[in-house]
Amino acid sequence: MFKPWMLLACLALPVPVQAEEPPRRAQAETATETWVKVQASNREASTVPQVQTDKERDQAMQRWLDSYKYAIPDFYRWSKVNSSNN
């Protein structure tokens, strides 16, 4: 009662299992990823605390406040776009 196509189907069944690729290994880390991990782990942190004088802190704050005096260039401005503006 076995038909030839059923025999072929049974023989072809293991083929997809054999065609599977082996699991891929993780790619090697890039230099950037390595540095990010070093920074996150705090292994290479300086033992010398970094401090600012009052004058340095005031100058930094003034530079930040002065940055708001400049107008935003037009190419940074957002404009609404509709699908009807084709």
Side-chain angles (χ1 to χ4, degrees):
M1 289 298 247
F2 254 115
K3 301 204 180 208
W5 61 269
M6 289 182 81
L7 181 63
L8 288 174
C10 290
L11 292 175
L13 193 60
V15 173
V17 174
Q18 293 173 355
E20 285 186 21
E21 293 182 21
R24 294 184 180 176
R25 288 183 280 148
Q27 294 180 351
E29 289 183 353
T30 63
T32 304
E33 291 170 332
T34 304
W35 274 113
V36 168
K37 286 184 179 181
V38 167
Q39 290 175 341
S41 69
N42 208 21
R43 287 181 294 185
E44 299 294 325
S46 173
T47 57
V48 179
Q50 298 182 10
V51 294
Q52 281 183 326
T53 64
D54 290 339
K55 184 178 178 182
E56 290 170 331
R57 204 172 5 262
D58 290 342
Q59 287 175 340
M61 180 59 75
Q62 192 60 48
R63 276 195 307 271
W64 178 63
L65 291 173
D66 289 345
S67 70
Y68 287 100
K69 292 180 181 178
Y70 301 104
I72 298 172
D74 288 336
F75 58 87
Y76 285 124
R77 295 193 186 275
W78 180 80
S79 62
K80 187 174 181 182
V81 178
N82 293 334
S83 60
S84 61
N85 289 348
N86 293 340

